[in-house]
Amino acid sequence: MTFAVSSTDFHYEANNKAHHTSEITKQRLILRRGQAFTITLNLHRGSQPEVDKVQLIAETGPSPSEASGTRAVFRVSGPPIRSSWSAAVQNSSSSSVTLSVTSPANASIGKYSLKIQAAKGTPQTSALGEFILLFNPWCADDSVHMQKDNEKQEYVMNEQGLLYRGCAESFSPSGWNFGQFEEDIVDICLKLLDVSPNYSKNPGLDCSRRSDPTYVGRVVSAMVNCNDDRGILLGRWANDFPDGTPPSRWTGSVEILRQWSLNGCRPVKYGQCWVYAAVMCTVMRCLGIPTRTITNFDSAHDTDRNLTIDEYYSVSGQELKLSSDSVWNFHVWVESWMTRPDLPTGYDGWQVLDPTPQEKSEGVYCCGPAPVKAILEGDTNIKHDVPFVFAEVNADKVRWTVGSDGSKKKSYSNTRQVGSNISTKAVGANAREDVTRFYKYPEGSKKERDVFAKAVCNLKSTGTPRCLDAPPPAASGVIELSIKLQKTPVNGEDITFYLHIVNKNQSSKNLSITTVAQALRHNGRPEDPCWKNTQTIKIGANGETKVTLLVPYSKYGASMLENNIVKLTAIAKEEGSNEMHMTVKDVLVAHPTLSIEVKGTPVLYQDFTAEITFTNTLSETLRNCLLTLSGIGLIRTKYEIPIRTVGPNKMLRVTIPVTPTKPGSRMLTADFDCNLFRDVKAFKTVEVKRVY
């Protein structure tokens, strides 16, 4: 009797552990490319274990072919061949043969079938089983190889992280559960690739190109948003979110991905930049590509590719919506680690990928991968989308004052404001790492200005890149304005601040000063003014003065439901002159504090208690409150606890039982929303011990 297989043992538990996928499952085979795995072929009685007379077939995609690299036919031979599929005998007996099978480090990722057939004669193919193949940062020959173990642990294996939000002068982290190793997420991530337009147009070519992390990253960047495909998230930048979840309420990716998959790949409502980036981080880590989220404060959105952001203000201090350019208080994208053989040497390493739909790239709403090194050096001729990301972190900002007759006067030029405190979670700690130095040279340095000039010269555009402008001429006398807070404002309290005015002229000045407050969305778009003050003061020669002002909560509070930043703008006009002076300050209005405490010792499969507390510091009752608690490996289904009211200056205390299902470092995340504000967040890292 010839070689005949009765069953196959894929050694799920041992293989998955060796391939760093046992966190996903121990019930099916999930592998990483470029690394050997073990299978045992159990033979029919009387079968001859002559493995040199059979060959194995590995296939992926709907139309696998050897030419495209999606089908491999290989015989059982000796040691693994570096660039090919290979198999070798580990053990052999009359009843079974154990093989070591190795995929090449450049194999396409995806779902595979494994078959066996006779090497000669009439081929009779038998199916052995299926497996999933992922990228492998542990393999030195893989294009996503990462050398340091602690970095692989952070950027591939860590299922939770921190997202930084706020404004440049005041920001804080919130916890996020990525959940890339929840068992169904790998199937959802592969499904995401299968519903992409690239797959629909040419599935064979698409599956072939899945060997390249640059290609996969670009596809995922497009598919996380739904602007021109069946992507995951629908964005909305407004104060209402009909028939959907406000972006600020999400605390993890798993619920979003499951909702998208279960609803027939219809987009989930709603996302904004940090949600898009966090979901993409989950997908990329799940596929095996080291990835981290990045927050850029004072992030420019340069719509006309001239590396300048223009802002327009009326003579009364109101910011006008005359330009599609904007500076977001913060913007979040991801970096993924990979080599770039498609580029000249020197651009391997971290690559920016941005799934938030801002501008089209080659006709599709996606961005990247853009090498961080190219951004640092102003190499705006390097693909993909380096000019756009360079502008996000290093555009010049120009402020214009618009007269009552529509005339525009350049009043201010700032080469330093855009791109500050660029932040990510530190490796192995719930702490912030500042990565600004990898994106730009120190502001104000000659090197930074030289790089900016180089970026302008390198920029290839359908229009003409602008010349480097000199700053506007200084006013004929110097009046300096600045805004200083009396204390950190808290939602529910008045915002108290003062204008510091310095007259550096040799003569006194009469000034008409208009101060305006506007709620500011995180994408830099202001709401209509909620408060305005106008007054006239006289300041002596070489004198200075302080003017104390107050924005009542009754004026700004109604604008804080979906915003927590107030833009304060002051314009001083000199009497008898056309000279105007301006200062602007973005103020983060803090929410009352939400906290999580753990009662008891967290042990696998044993209950402990999470206690959530919140104090209403406002002088009015909070209504329609909702407390949400979630945590990958801690809570199977998130808790949503409706609370009718929380009275003025009252404390809310809620205790919830938690039963861990995964060991190690885990994160509890809580969110509190009510009728007056949203997005009150808390997180707590929990170390779950194993049962011995």
Side-chain angles (χ1 to χ4, degrees):
M1 187 176 182
T2 59
F3 191 95
V5 177
S6 61
S7 64
T8 305
D9 183 353
F10 279 101
H11 303 285
Y12 298 139
E13 186 170 351
N15 281 324
N16 288 5
K17 182 178 181 180
H19 286 248
H20 306 277
T21 61
S22 57
E23 285 262 1
I24 302 174
T25 183
K26 297 175 184 177
Q27 305 303 315
R28 55 181 174 149
L29 194 58
I30 302 179
L31 305 170
R32 299 188 186 275
R33 64 185 192 175
Q35 183 174 338
F37 62 98
T38 300
I39 62 173
T40 296
L41 307 179
N42 297 309
L43 308 179
H44 283 290
R45 182 174 296 179
S47 177
Q48 299 297 317
E50 297 174 325
V51 292
D52 58 328
K53 295 182 180 180
V54 298
Q55 52 194 11
L56 300 176
I57 304 170
E59 296 179 328
T60 186
S63 52
S65 73
E66 293 179 71
S68 66
T70 54
R71 183 176 193 264
V73 181
F74 53 102
R75 298 181 68 167
V76 177
S77 53
I81 303 170
R82 191 169 192 175
S83 59
S84 304
W85 288 84
S86 61
V89 176
Q90 280 190 332
N91 293 295
S92 179
S93 70
S94 60
S95 60
S96 68
V97 176
T98 298
L99 302 178
S100 174
V101 182
T102 305
S103 63
N106 63 349
S108 291
I109 64 162
K111 294 181 179 179
Y112 276 79
S113 65
L114 188 63
K115 303 173 184 177
I116 191 169
Q117 70 178 17
K120 295 181 179 180
T122 304
Q124 293 182 336
T125 302
S126 300
L128 298 178
E130 297 180 340
F131 60 90
I132 289 173
L133 192 65
L134 304 174
F135 291 104
N136 191 355
W138 285 266
C139 174
D141 294 327
D142 197 307
S143 51
V144 302
H145 174 246
M146 181 168 264
Q147 189 168 5
K148 295 181 179 179
D149 287 339
N150 62 338
E151 292 184 348
K152 290 193 285 281
Q153 181 63 38
E154 183 67 53
Y155 302 133
V156 181
M157 302 299 290
N158 197 348
E159 289 195 87
Q160 54 268 335
L162 302 178
L163 304 177
Y164 289 88
R165 293 186 289 155
C167 56
E169 295 182 9
S170 180
F171 55 87
S172 60
S174 57
W176 190 273
N177 281 296
F178 295 115
Q180 68 269 25
F181 296 139
E182 292 292 280
E183 184 170 357
D184 57 336
I185 295 302
V186 67
D187 299 299
I188 295 172
C189 292
L190 294 176
K191 182 179 185 178
L192 182 71
L193 301 181
D194 287 347
V195 300
S196 74
N198 290 23
Y199 182 88
S200 299
K201 292 173 188 174
N202 191 331
L205 178 61
D206 175 72
C207 290
S208 174
R209 296 189 69 185
R210 292 182 191 180
S211 62
D212 179 8
T214 300
Y215 174 79
V216 171
R218 197 158 170 80
V219 170
V220 174
S221 172
M223 288 300 298
V224 170
N225 70 72
C226 69
N227 284 44
D228 35 29
D229 47 44
R230 299 169 65 193
I232 297 168
L233 279 161
L234 177 64
R236 184 171 175 83
W237 287 263
N239 285 334
D240 63 321
F241 299 94
D243 304 318
T245 300
S248 60
R249 189 171 294 167
W250 301 113
T251 57
S253 306
V254 171
E255 182 182 1
I256 295 170
L257 289 165
R258 285 174 176 165
Q259 187 175 322
W260 172 79
S261 180
L262 290 172
N263 290 340
C265 304
R266 289 192 295 271
V268 177
K269 301 176 181 179
Y270 293 97
Q272 290 181 7
C273 69
W274 70 93
V275 185
Y276 285 113
V279 170
M280 182 164 185
C281 187
T282 294
V283 174
M284 297 295 273
R285 286 186 183 183
C286 180
L287 297 177
I289 301 175
T291 301
R292 62 187 185 181
T293 58
I294 300 289
T295 301
N296 177 41
F297 293 95
D298 287 329
S299 186
H301 181 179
D302 179 22
T303 59
D304 51 13
R305 291 171 55 89
N306 67 352
L307 303 186
T308 295
I309 304 300
D310 297 302
E311 291 183 346
Y312 297 90
Y313 289 82
S314 70
V315 292
S316 63
Q318 178 180 346
E319 185 177 353
L320 305 172
K321 303 169 186 177
L322 299 181
S323 171
S324 55
D325 287 351
S326 60
V327 176
W328 297 30
N329 304 313
F330 68 91
H331 184 53
V332 186
W333 56 70
V334 303
E335 289 177 356
S336 292
W337 183 269
M338 63 190 72
T339 61
R340 291 298 301 271
D342 57 319
L343 299 178
T345 57
Y347 297 108
D348 296 344
W350 290 117
Q351 313 286 319
V352 170
L353 287 151
D354 190 349
T356 300
Q358 297 181 90
E359 301 294 327
K360 287 189 174 183
S361 172
E362 298 177 4
V364 177
Y365 278 105
C366 68
C367 181
V372 173
K373 182 67 172 179
I375 299 160
L376 174 69
E377 299 297 342
D379 295 333
T380 48
N381 55 325
I382 293 295
K383 63 181 183 180
H384 297 275
D385 307 307
V386 171
F388 185 79
V389 184
F390 181 88
E392 287 183 299
V393 301
N394 217 10
D396 285 354
K397 188 174 180 179
V398 178
R399 189 179 296 157
W400 303 81
T401 304
V402 181
S404 56
D405 60 354
S407 61
K408 300 180 179 68
K409 180 180 179 181
K410 184 185 288 187
S411 61
Y412 173 81
S413 180
N414 189 325
T415 65
R416 301 188 181 198
Q417 179 183 347
V418 167
S420 61
N421 296 323
I422 304 176
S423 304
T424 192
K425 178 186 177 298
V427 173
N430 283 334
R432 171 180 168 267
E433 179 184 355
D434 191 301
V435 294
T436 308
R437 66 191 183 280
F438 299 119
Y439 280 86
K440 58 200 298 188
Y441 289 98
E443 291 287 4
S445 67
K446 181 178 183 300
K447 181 67 172 178
E448 186 271 334
R449 284 291 88 191
D450 288 346
V451 165
F452 188 90
K454 175 185 176 185
V456 172
C457 293
N458 283 339
L459 190 59
K460 295 179 180 179
S461 173
T462 52
T464 303
R466 70 176 182 88
C467 297
L468 292 174
D469 294 326
S476 60
V478 179
I479 298 289
E480 292 182 353
L481 293 179
S482 60
I483 295 173
K484 306 290 184 183
L485 292 174
Q486 301 275 34
K487 64 174 184 175
T488 301
V490 176
N491 204 335
E493 300 177 357
D494 300 334
I495 300 174
T496 56
F497 65 100
Y498 63 85
L499 282 176
H500 186 210
I501 308 166
V502 179
N503 178 17
K504 293 188 175 181
N505 293 276
Q506 299 300 314
S507 58
S508 63
K509 295 288 183 179
N510 291 321
L511 302 175
S512 175
I513 301 175
T514 299
T515 310
V516 171
Q518 297 170 272
L520 196 64
R521 298 180 191 170
H522 101 269
N523 64 356
R525 296 296 182 186
E527 304 283 356
D528 292 333
C530 59
W531 173 87
K532 182 177 179 180
N533 175 273
T534 301
Q535 58 186 307
T536 300
I537 68 165
K538 182 175 183 178
I539 184 170
N542 297 309
E544 63 180 287
T545 188
K546 294 180 180 179
V547 178
T548 301
L549 295 167
L550 177 149
V551 181
Y553 170 70
S554 60
K555 294 293 185 181
Y556 79 83
S559 302
M560 291 293 101
L561 183 60
E562 289 301 333
N563 310 285
N564 64 342
I565 296 177
V566 173
K567 176 187 280 288
L568 299 175
T569 305
I571 288 185
K573 185 175 181 181
E574 297 182 22
E575 186 180 84
S577 167
N578 290 324
E579 296 294 347
M580 289 185 292
H581 313 274
M582 179 187 296
T583 186
V584 176
K585 187 175 184 67
D586 294 342
V587 177
L588 181 69
V589 180
H591 288 318
T593 301
L594 181 71
S595 64
I596 305 173
E597 292 298 328
V598 170
K599 306 293 184 180
T601 302
V603 178
L604 194 63
Y605 305 122
Q606 297 180 16
D607 287 353
F608 69 91
T609 299
E611 182 179 85
I612 300 95
T613 57
F614 172 83
T615 300
N616 176 15
T617 57
L618 277 65
S619 59
E620 58 185 296
T621 298
L622 305 180
R623 304 183 186 279
N624 303 322
C625 307
L626 181 67
L627 178 64
T628 305
L629 186 70
S630 58
I632 296 298
L634 297 171
I635 298 172
R636 290 190 182 276
T637 304
K638 71 178 181 181
Y639 286 98
E640 287 190 339
I641 304 169
I643 300 157
R644 291 184 61 188
T645 60
V646 180
N649 301 307
K650 296 293 185 181
M651 174 182 283
L652 170 70
R653 178 180 280 109
V654 177
T655 57
I656 296 175
V658 178
T659 308
T661 57
K662 290 185 177 182
S665 182
R666 302 292 161 188
M667 180 182 287
L668 280 170
T669 57
D671 174 80
F672 181 85
D673 297 328
C674 64
N675 63 316
L676 296 182
F677 47 77
R678 295 195 178 109
D679 197 23
V680 184
K681 293 282 197 295
F683 66 91
K684 182 76 172 180
T685 300
V686 177
E687 294 295 332
V688 178
K689 298 181 179 179
R690 293 181 181 272
V691 180
Y692 292 104

